């Protein structure tokens, strides 16, 4: 969400920022709507001042025993005019609608570009494995082991669901527990068990609504299944003024996530890469504006540590303007190497949202002087997507006979099991 006062102060800069997002010049329209709305508010205040004056005049007339019929008529007329003016919300509603559908302003260091092809590789950790056999994709491995079932999942729930059995189910659970333990024990995040259902206000606060409603699952009572634990974790401080000394809040949650994947028809239809339901470890920071850039780097390094301990090759990407998410001012993606696909695939996305979400949630911090000093900055990152981590482990640790070696860091969570072999 953007501050109309900042747009009024520098409309050219705002249009230039939106142009990087391929948004046509809009500042003049927003300012015109704001002028109309402020004129309406000024008129309502003027009517109220006149009504206050008439109220005093009425009191004087009554004390003197004078006829108040003419004053009463003027009061009624002013109340009607005030009510009509106050009710004319057209400009205010259009201004709000336009503002809440505009993307965040990008950080200056975000490169220009149209799509993922223009993202920048900042670093790479480890070299892609080159096995001396033809590697398989995760779904080929899982089905051959008899531990990953798509047809039965489709029979129960439809497409984009998976049933994991036995050792693969345990491996997925082990990954989630390993990640949440790492972030809470070593990276200073507080574990939070979050609701999986949230109200519309929470979805609005983290900018899923109104723009991305088609990507959500909505219940019959008007609540939504969370697409990521970012929603309840970030809304933890919604509507609050947080003492500066308490910042940053650092939260982590292991939760199920739910996405309709409305915009991904025909993409990644085989396997587990793009599911309607999936577990993920989410990290959220609510930080002082002066520290959000450092917090962004800290969060990304925490996600990288997961992959380093799993000994899976990854690279850090700086997303270009055309690939940066709607609410983000700057995003780092972590991509892992999948031998079966012979491709790098995203496994984590760490974003600094600046004050964009905080304005929508009305979350501020209070400075040492006791006065509200401004909006906090919010950040979120996958630490990491558990299902995709399972895919990465399966493909990177596959053996020629179809078995899967368990990374050493996960063996304590697997009761010491060193490899997964056929369920038969």
């Amino acid at each position: 969400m953007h501050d109309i006062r900042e747009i009024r102060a520098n409309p050219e800069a705002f249009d230039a920022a939106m142009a990087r997002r391929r948004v046509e010049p809009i500042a003049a329209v927003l300012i015109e709507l704001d002028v109309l709305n402020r004129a309406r508010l000024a008129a309502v205040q003027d009517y109220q001042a006149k009504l206050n004056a008439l109220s005093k005049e009425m009191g004087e007339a009554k004390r003197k025993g004078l006829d108040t019929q003419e004053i009463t008529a003027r009061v009624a007329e002013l109340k009607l005019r005030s009510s009509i003016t106050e009710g004319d919300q057209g400009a205010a509603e259009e201004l709000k609608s336009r503002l809440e559908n505009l993307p965040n302003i990008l950080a200056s260091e975000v490169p220009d570009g149209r799509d993922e092809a223009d993202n920048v590789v900042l670093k790479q950790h480890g070299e892609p494995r080159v096995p001396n056999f033809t590697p398989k994709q995760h779904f080929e491995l899982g089905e051959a082991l008899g531990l990953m079932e798509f047809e039965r999942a489709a029979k129960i729930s439809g497409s984009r669901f998976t049933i994991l059995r036995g050792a693969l189910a345990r491996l997925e659970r082990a990954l989630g527990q390993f990640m949440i333990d790492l972030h809470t024990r070593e990276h200073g995040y507080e574990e939070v068990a979050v609701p999986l259902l949230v109200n519309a206000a929470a979805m609005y606060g983290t900018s899923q609504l109104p723009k991305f409603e088609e990507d959500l699952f909505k219940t019959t009572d008007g609540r939504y299944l969370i697409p990521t634990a970012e929603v309840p974790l970030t809304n933890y401080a919604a509507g609050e003024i947080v003492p500066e000394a308490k910042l940053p809040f650092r939260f982590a949650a292991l939760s199920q996530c739910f996405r309709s994947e409305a915009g991904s028809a025909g993409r990644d239809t085989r396997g587990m890469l793009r599911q309607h339901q999936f577990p993920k470890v989410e990290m959220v920071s609510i930080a002082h504006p002066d520290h959000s850039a450092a917090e962004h780097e800290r969060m990304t390094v925490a996600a990288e540590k997961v992959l380093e301990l799993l000994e899976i090759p990854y690279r850090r990407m700086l997303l270009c303007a055309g690939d940066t998410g709607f609410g983000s001012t700057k995003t780092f993606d972590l991509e892992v190497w999948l031998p079966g696909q012979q491709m790098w695939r995203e496994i984590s996305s760490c974003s600094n949202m600046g004050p964009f979400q905080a304005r929508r949630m009305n979350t501020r911090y209070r400075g040492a002087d006791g006065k509200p000093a401004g909006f906090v900055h919010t950040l979120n990152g996958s630490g990491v997507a558990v299902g995709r981590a399972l895919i990465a482990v399966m493909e990177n640790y596959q053996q020629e006979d179809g078995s899967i070696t368990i990374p050493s860091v996960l063996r304590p969570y697997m009761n010491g099991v060193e490899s997964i072999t056929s369920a038969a």
Side-chain angles (χ1 to χ4, degrees), residues 146 148-158 161-163 165:
M148 183 179 287
E149 300 188 85
F150 299 101
E151 289 186 9
R152 282 197 171 95
K155 176 178 67 175
I156 297 166
S157 301
F161 289 92
T162 307
I163 291 175
R165 294 172 51 203

Side-chain angles (χ1 to χ4, degrees), residues 165-175 412-417:
R165 294 172 51 203
L168 276 188
R170 182 164 188 166
L171 180 58
E172 182 185 63
R173 176 161 54 92
L175 281 161
Y413 296 91
M414 296 288 291
N415 199 28
V417 173

